[in-house]
Amino acid sequence: MSSAEQTRDGVSLTNLDQPLAPGVGASKRDLVDYLDAVHGRLVPWLRDRPLSVVRALRGQAPFMQKNLPKYTPDWVRRTSVWAEASHRDVSYALCDDRRTLLWFANQRAVEYHPTLSTADRPGHPTHLVLDLDPPEGADFGVAVAAARLVRQALTDAGLAGAVKTSGAKGLHVLVPVDGATSAEEAAAATRALAVRAERLDPALATTAFIREDRGGRVFVDSTRAGGASLVAVFSPRLRPGLPVSYPVGWDDLGAVAPTDFTVRTVPALVADRDPWAGLLPPPQRLPADLVEQGRGIPVARVQAMHEGRRRARARRAAQSP
């Protein structure tokens, strides 16, 4: 077997010396070696959750794969989820072990996006997520400042959360919730927290879903709810240098940059411990007033769709003779 081919845990790994993707500056071997090195940290956050992956095949644009291909080995666990948008059942992988992770790595799966709920309890997310997206070209410091607004909103509500880099330019704040929390309650509470964070400093943060309405502010995205997925902690991102979504203590946020955490630096950082497990607070019950407030706030994506249609009608009317 050539140096470009290996077998690990019964999985054949091929073409390891090929570039992963244009502009990434890493090989397929770099991806495989990283995922194998951190499998003990990453797999627990993927286990039992329907998984979408971003793959980088040679000669193709990167794409997100939800439905498992027909050639998937029988030993890869899977679960069927009804997709309302496409009106069909989707067969999602459950990445529960090293072997499955290595199989995905050989398929050039770079990013790992599990759902917020487990396969056996799809209507009960285990976390709320507030996704902080800074404007194009902004310094990472504005995302940090917005994260601190979210933390204050959480504190004011009697809740606690933990923060990780997105692996791109933003931050994710996660709030563990107890098992009784429904998807509807979680979505409502997330909307309320986003609005409360925005009100703390409306010059810095916005909940405007339409990009042109954000005015150079950090978008506090409350739409990752229900059956949504989120890039997993310790997952690589398909960007130059292969950065990694990585946990950061609240007090350390101002001293780091997203580029500090890559497939080359993270294995040593997690060799002796799981920093994410140490930062996440225990599951919490959502305050009733927070949920009730959120129920009165429109879903940002739906509101934006209606507003987009209204603006299109207005443009057409203005252009008509």
Side-chain angles (χ1 to χ4, degrees), residues 127-132 146-164 172-177 186 188-198 200 220 250 253 276 279-282 284-287 289-290 293:
H127 301 77
L128 309 185
V129 176
L130 291 127
D131 183 355
L132 306 174
R148 289 172 175 151
L149 296 181
V150 171
R151 188 189 192 192
Q152 185 61 56
L154 287 170
T155 299
D156 293 345
L159 296 169
V163 63
K164 67 183 182 72
H172 297 149
V173 179
L174 277 75
V175 184
V177 293
T190 306
R191 292 194 298 274
L193 287 166
V195 166
R196 291 183 183 189
E198 176 186 39
L200 289 171
V220 184
W250 285 108
L253 268 182
W276 192 225
L279 292 173
L280 279 173
Q284 302 148 92
R285 183 64 187 154
L286 295 173
D289 66 309
L290 185 72
Q293 179 188 354

Side-chain angles (χ1 to χ4, degrees), residues 116 123-130 175 177-178 180-194 222-226 285-286 290-291 294-295:
L116 300 180
H124 296 273
T126 55
H127 301 77
L128 309 185
V129 176
L130 291 127
V175 184
V177 293
D178 71 16
T181 305
S182 70
E184 184 274 332
E185 290 171 329
T190 306
R191 292 194 298 274
L193 287 166
S222 63
T223 62
R224 293 189 183 275
R285 183 64 187 154
L286 295 173
L290 185 72
V291 174
R295 286 174 172 149

Side-chain angles (χ1 to χ4, degrees), residues 44 104 118-119 128 133 167 212 214 263:
F104 269 117
T118 55
L128 309 185
D133 184 16
E212 65 194 50
R214 296 178 191 169
V263 296

